[in-house]
Amino acid sequence: MTELLIRNAYVIDPINDIRGEIMDIPIREGKIVEEVSDRAPVIDAEGYLTLPGGIDSHSHVCGTKVNFGRYMSPEDMRAGRTARKGRMHVTSGYSVPTTFGNSYRYSAMGYTMVLEGAMAPLEARHTHEEFTATPHQDMMANTLFDGNWSIMEAVLDKDVKRAAAVVAWILNAVKGFAIKLTNPGGTEAWGWGEDLAGIHDEVPHFGVTPAEIIGTMIRANELLHLPHSVHLHCNNLGVPGNHRTTLETIALAPDLNPKRQSLYLTHVQFHSYGGTTWRDIDSRSEEVTKAVNAKPQVVMDMGQIMFGRTTTMTADGPMEFKLYMLHHNKWSNHDVELETGSGIIPVYYTRKSLVNCIMWAIGLELALLTKNPWQCILATDNPNGAPFVKYPEIIALLMSKKFREQEGALLDPRTEHHVPLFAIDRELDWYEIAVMTRAAQAKALGIQDLGRGHLAPGALADVAIYPMKTDQLDPATQFQQVIAGFARTRYTIKRGRVVARDGEVVVDGANSTIWVRPKVPPEYDLSRDPEFVKKFEQYYTVRMRNYPVQDTYLPRGICIETEADL
Amino acid sequence: MRVTLETKPRKKPKIPIEAENIIPQNFLRGMDITVYEGNKERRLEDLFYIAVEGPAVSPDQVEVILKGDTGVIKRVGEYMNAGRIVVEGDIGMHCGNFMSAGEILIRGNAESWLGREMRGGTIRCLGNTGHYCAAGYRGEKRGMRGGKVEVMGNAGDYAAEYLSGGEVIIRGSTGDMPGIEMRGGTLVIGGTCTRPGANMTGGTCIVLGNAARIIPTFAAAGIRELTWEDRSYAVQVYNGDMANRGGKGTLLVRRE
């Protein structure tokens, strides 16, 4: 019986409404319990800030798209090298590190769960293989449905139940966690050499619009009772004037689930641009956050960019092509069957670029103008906006107006005419940061019932102890200490085991992969549906039986079973 | 100050030595320098007989002479910024990585990536060199940016890849695709080559021997007279590479 007692912890646990109390946290068999025996080993937290383990609800860390980023940027693999040390493997890479690099760096920051933002169904096996080599975080994978032919046909027939059946079969086959839509319809149009300008344009050859796809998928998602909502990357990413599309999309979100949002919008920073071209682009974060504040059924993440080198990777191929036309750097567009696409290019966000300065400001504005921190999640869309190792810096920017002004002085002086950031006085507090980095994620992903993201008895013992005492630290002025504190935990505890101490990983990990199996009635089991099977034979390069990922690829899989209302 | 390093006999002489610390500026601080033999860190005196003559007060007064079995020593002169290195025999890969000033003289042959991404200074190789001479490393978008590399013998494939500045002179022949992705600077090839200048966007590539298989996206732009090292040649001018937007490179090939 393994036990552990954390004493004198200054706990903030938003899901249980604990806003800073000195507490003891007893742990037995990887779970938080009421009390432990007096033989249990003790960790003295010394009154340090103690939070549930961090959760990243949108990150690209595993899968072929990420791996292709590694192939494409050998120069990136020469950066960020760390040598073998104790239990730590050799790692390398800065914006697209090795899987162990990702895992160790997340552990050092106190993160214990990561959601891979986009998994192409055809390439699921590789994603799961990389999950098993990401040892210290529990992983989940959003599965891409944005250009799925069967889905689009169901949408055209207005057959929500068939769409739900397709989702059920694919999620079950590829062991995915939730529905991800990336530029729905747009990537498919791109496959035919065309592009869509808004969510009411028709996808060529299919006669459906992105708005119809999104609406149908939200209802299919609720019919299947999936834990997470539809995870949407809106249309028109990175296009000046795209805030209109974003507002239209937010208006689509119905009120279907009392427990959580019905639409999760990811990297909204890239979707909050006004103007018509790169020359007159400005921030429309006020309009977007106003819509979000009025709509509790929507949760978004920031998609903050930070200055420096990184690699962008997304299933949104047309958008990556537009970026390539700006930079003329190396690029890749990748076609993954009839379901989605992908694109990858390396970028450098620079303070010399007015557009980049405006983008930097918009992300922060989204977080500061959203009234309810549960509706705005902290993320960079790693590595698209910035590698996740920049999270501590973003936290410091949100907590300190002085830091924002200090950074603002380095920007292009025209920036302030395009953004409202420097007029915002709000400084987030420790509680709001705790919400935005773990509790809101757990709620939005629907995994708090699995004991994730909180510290009540019965929860999984994922704890992060940061070397900061909130009563001795003023984040508004001492932002450098805040950055250093959030960058390296004193202890990161995963499932009751200390995995990292002072930023160094001390044990080999054993993560699990969480996936969802919606149970559908036999008449909606598509593996026997002749039309669905025929699609694979006629159009796919692989057979239907090549799709399912076997259980051996998930040695420690955790399956969430749901009962579908079909 | 003249530092002479002569290799000692080793049990396994084929194991390469990673010697990025053999640069003149380091010897000013004494001989307490380590290099790697395979994956083992070694002190300099474990691998070399060291002889030091004379004093020096600044790195540009330091001359390092490498003797013996030097063909397995890699990364000599990495980040060198002053002084002189003379290699009495062959030298391994990555000699003169990122060097910004000073001089390297190689009396034998040099392996691949001679003068990789170098910023300034001079490298002279009296023998042949391998592939990627004066190029960028895999994934880099800029190769050599300044200085001069002169090879008296032949070079391998992809010489001066991503050349962005400075001068590369190869008096012998090169392999396939010299000057590929050139952005600036000058590449002179004395002998023959194939497919020169592919995808270049800037700079000048001069072929004084015979260039085979010039790629079709170069536009012929007449014949002109070229004087190089006091000799004059009639050269065919090509502009390109037209496959690139703004391919402003110039390819000059001697007419038969």
Side-chain angles (χ1 to χ4, degrees):
Chain A
M1 196 162 62
T2 55
E3 290 186 325
L4 185 68
L5 179 64
I6 304 169
R7 300 184 64 168
N8 293 327
Y10 179 85
V11 176
I12 298 179
D13 177 5
I15 286 180
N16 296 311
D17 203 29
I18 297 170
R19 293 168 182 255
E21 276 177 38
I22 297 286
M23 293 170 67
D24 292 351
I25 304 173
I27 296 166
R28 184 186 302 129
E29 301 288 350
K31 290 203 165 160
I32 295 172
V33 289
E34 296 286 352
E35 58 182 11
V36 287
S37 65
D38 42 355
R39 289 190 310 276
V42 175
I43 286 178
D44 189 358
E46 302 169 43
Y48 285 150
L49 177 66
T50 302
L51 305 176
I55 301 173
D56 197 336
S57 63
H58 189 100
S59 177
H60 300 279
V61 285
C62 292
T64 45
K65 164 163 50 71
V66 180
N67 211 28
F68 206 83
R70 296 184 187 118
Y71 291 151
M72 258 174 70
S73 298
E75 77 278 11
D76 189 68
M77 299 312 276
R78 290 196 281 281
R81 287 187 179 183
T82 60
R84 186 193 166 90
K85 191 173 182 186
R87 293 279 178 179
M88 289 167 84
H89 290 238
V90 170
T91 74
S92 72
Y94 170 65
S95 64
V96 267
T98 56
T99 52
F100 287 103
N102 278 321
S103 188
Y104 297 159
R105 291 169 205 180
Y106 265 125
S107 279
M109 286 163 43
Y111 276 70
T112 53
M113 291 190 82
V114 178
L115 175 113
E116 159 60 44
M119 171 170 78
L122 183 66
E123 296 173 337
R125 198 161 288 145
H126 179 115
T127 312
H128 285 294
E129 283 182 319
E130 289 205 343
F131 281 175
T132 56
T134 308
H136 292 110
Q137 281 74 30
D138 285 346
M139 306 297 292
M140 297 153 283
N142 277 346
T143 310
L144 288 159
F145 289 95
D146 47 78
N148 191 300
W149 286 17
S150 302
I151 293 279
M152 283 194 287
E153 282 162 10
V155 172
L156 184 65
D157 298 340
K158 305 207 182 316
D159 190 347
V160 179
K161 291 189 170 180
R162 186 169 172 87
V166 175
V167 170
W169 185 82
I170 293 186
L171 278 188
N172 190 12
V174 305
K175 311 265 190 281
F177 178 73
I179 297 173
K180 170 75 185 281
L181 298 176
T182 296
N183 187 5
T187 313
E188 180 60 28
W190 176 249
W192 299 93
E194 296 179 42
D195 205 358
L196 302 184
I199 59 168
H200 300 297
D201 283 14
E202 235 175 54
V203 182
H205 309 285
F206 287 94
V208 296
T209 65
E212 287 165 4
I213 298 175
I214 297 166
T216 308
M217 291 303 265
I218 291 174
R219 286 198 294 283
N221 192 72
E222 300 306 333
L223 278 183
L224 294 171
H225 294 295
L226 299 185
H228 187 32
S229 65
V230 165
H231 195 105
L232 176 66
H233 154 141
C234 292
N235 298 66
N236 281 339
L237 184 144
V239 177
N242 63 7
H243 72 288
R244 277 181 226 101
T245 309
T246 311
L247 294 175
E248 283 170 351
T249 311
I250 292 173
L252 286 179
D255 189 0
L256 290 178
N257 193 322
K259 273 182 75 182
R260 55 149 171 81
Q261 80 286 354
S262 55
L263 186 59
Y264 179 104
L265 299 179
T266 189
H267 43 73
V268 176
Q269 177 274 126
F270 291 106
H271 303 276
S272 305
Y273 304 155
T276 52
T277 62
W278 292 114
R279 289 180 196 284
D280 63 356
I281 181 175
D282 59 4
S283 161
R284 293 301 170 91
S285 55
E286 286 168 319
E287 289 167 48
V288 172
T289 47
K290 200 174 148 201
V292 171
N293 286 336
K295 194 113 188 177
Q297 286 297 319
V298 169
V299 168
M300 62 176 174
D301 73 49
M302 293 159 71
Q304 176 67 18
I305 75 146
M306 296 296 275
F307 299 110
R309 190 164 53 78
T310 191
T311 308
T312 66
M313 47 184 65
T314 166
D316 191 349
M319 170 263 158
E320 290 286 27
F321 180 73
K322 287 174 204 153
L323 261 185
Y324 160 73
M325 294 302 280
L326 281 179
H327 297 292
H328 279 272
N329 201 335
K330 48 194 170 188
W331 69 300
S332 139
N333 258 186
H334 191 97
D335 176 10
V336 266
E337 293 288 297
L338 316 180
E339 285 136 3
T340 178
S342 89
I344 301 149
I345 69 163
V347 294
Y348 189 90
Y349 295 114
T350 163
R351 291 184 178 88
K352 288 178 191 164
S353 157
L354 177 61
V355 171
N356 290 167
C357 293
I358 294 170
M359 290 162 93
W360 174 84
I362 294 175
L364 298 173
E365 287 160 18
L366 290 172
L368 295 168
L369 294 172
T370 305
K371 288 193 184 122
N372 181 358
W374 295 85
Q375 276 185 282
C376 186
I377 279 168
L378 191 145
T380 60
D381 187 16
N382 163 62
N384 289 303
F388 61 83
V389 291
K390 297 269 191 184
Y391 285 0
E393 224 172 296
I394 299 169
I395 293 173
L397 284 165
L398 294 174
M399 294 185 92
S400 167
K401 180 170 165 63
K402 192 178 162 205
F403 189 26
R404 293 199 291 271
E405 278 166 359
Q406 188 182 312
E407 282 287 301
L410 306 171
L411 304 183
D412 187 308
R414 294 169 290 170
T415 309
E416 56 182 310
H417 304 301
H418 297 260
V419 302
L421 178 68
F422 302 107
I424 303 172
D425 289 330
R426 187 172 173 198
E427 288 175 338
L428 300 188
D429 60 22
W430 301 102
Y431 177 81
E432 287 166 318
I433 293 298
V435 172
M436 289 176 67
T437 52
R438 47 267 291 162
Q441 279 90 339
K443 191 169 167 233
L445 296 176
I447 49 174
Q448 64 189 45
D449 297 342
L450 281 183
R452 314 291 171 131
H454 66 102
L455 296 174
L460 204 69
D462 290 357
V463 189
I465 304 172
Y466 294 96
M468 286 181 287
K469 290 189 177 163
T470 53
D471 51 342
Q472 294 170 15
L473 190 65
D474 176 19
T477 51
Q478 293 168 293
F479 41 80
Q480 290 302 346
Q481 280 99 310
V482 172
I483 295 174
F486 277 112
R488 290 173 71 176
T489 57
R490 183 79 184 87
Y491 295 98
T492 302
I493 294 160
K494 174 72 195 161
R495 227 177 280 138
R497 257 189 348 161
V498 176
V499 294
R501 190 189 301 133
D502 294 327
E504 273 175 29
V505 166
V506 292
V507 290
D508 295 325
N511 75 346
S512 22
T513 302
I514 301 173
W515 62 287
V516 176
R517 174 158 58 200
K519 278 204 233 157
V520 293
E523 64 267 30
Y524 286 101
D525 180 5
L526 288 187
S527 56
R528 290 189 208 97
D529 184 277
E531 212 185 310
F532 190 69
V533 175
K534 208 172 83 190
K535 186 140 287 131
F536 282 88
E537 278 159 16
Q538 282 187 331
Y539 299 110
Y540 278 66
T541 51
V542 296
R543 295 279 81 87
M544 191 173 177
R545 64 177 180 279
N546 296 123
Y547 258 64
V549 175
Q550 290 79 12
D551 288 337
T552 49
Y553 287 89
L554 291 80
R556 286 171 297 276
I558 297 173
C559 176
I560 302 177
E561 292 205 333
T562 65
E563 292 287 344
D565 281 341
L566 288 179
Chain B
M1 183 164 84
R2 174 181 295 188
V3 182
T4 310
L5 303 173
E6 191 175 349
T7 53
K8 287 183 177 175
R10 291 190 289 155
K11 270 187 189 155
K12 292 178 178 168
K14 285 186 178 169
I15 293 180
I17 297 170
E18 299 258 351
E20 71 274 25
N21 282 337
I22 299 187
I23 43 177
Q25 60 260 41
N26 280 357
F27 287 96
L28 274 186
R29 275 175 258 127
M31 299 301 134
D32 191 16
I33 288 172
T34 58
V35 295
Y36 275 85
E37 182 186 20
N39 58 2
K40 304 274 191 314
E41 194 169 7
R42 305 270 193 231
R43 295 166 60 79
L44 202 58
E45 65 250 35
D46 296 342
L47 301 178
F48 295 95
Y49 300 109
I50 305 173
V52 184
E53 300 160 50
V57 289
S58 68
D60 51 310
Q61 294 165 349
V62 178
E63 185 181 45
V64 181
I65 295 168
L66 281 167
K67 279 184 183 169
D69 182 17
T70 51
V72 292
I73 307 179
K74 298 186 199 170
R75 295 168 69 189
V76 168
E78 184 168 300
Y79 291 106
M80 160 172 177
N81 59 19
R84 184 173 144 91
I85 296 176
V86 180
V87 183
E88 297 290 353
D90 298 346
I91 194 70
M93 290 197 287
H94 291 275
C95 177
N97 274 355
F98 311 106
M99 76 185 267
S100 52
E103 189 191 342
I104 298 179
L105 173 66
I106 300 153
R107 296 201 196 277
N109 302 325
E111 265 284 0
S112 299
W113 277 292
L114 175 68
R116 161 197 163 194
E117 290 158 55
M118 109 186 218
R119 266 74 160 173
T122 313
I123 297 180
R124 213 156 163 255
C125 173
L126 304 187
N128 303 325
T129 181
H131 302 309
Y132 294 101
C133 170
Y137 206 46
R138 304 186 198 289
E140 297 294 338
K141 287 173 284 294
R142 299 182 71 183
M144 175 169 153
R145 300 184 197 180
K148 184 176 175 183
V149 172
E150 188 176 7
V151 179
M152 307 308 281
N154 302 326
D157 297 341
Y158 308 106
E161 185 196 38
Y162 282 111
L163 181 69
S164 308
E167 195 180 3
V168 180
I169 301 166
I170 291 158
R171 297 196 183 268
S173 303
T174 73
D176 201 13
M177 291 193 157
I180 179 172
E181 302 272 6
M182 258 175 79
R183 271 108 206 270
T186 310
L187 167 65
V188 183
I189 299 164
T192 60
C193 64
T194 55
R195 297 193 286 181
N199 219 23
M200 70 198 288
T201 51
T204 309
C205 175
I206 302 168
V207 184
L208 298 175
N210 184 18
R213 295 168 63 201
I214 291 173
I215 54 175
T217 45
F218 277 90
I223 296 162
R224 73 174 163 97
E225 200 74 9
L226 172 81
T227 308
W228 194 72
E229 291 191 340
D230 303 332
R231 275 191 63 188
S232 88
Y233 305 87
V235 290
Q236 170 75 52
V237 183
Y238 295 93
N239 294 326
D241 182 335
M242 296 302 167
N244 273 317
R245 181 182 70 163
K248 296 192 177 70
T250 312
L251 173 62
L252 305 170
V253 182
R254 184 181 175 184
R255 276 173 60 87
E256 298 299 316

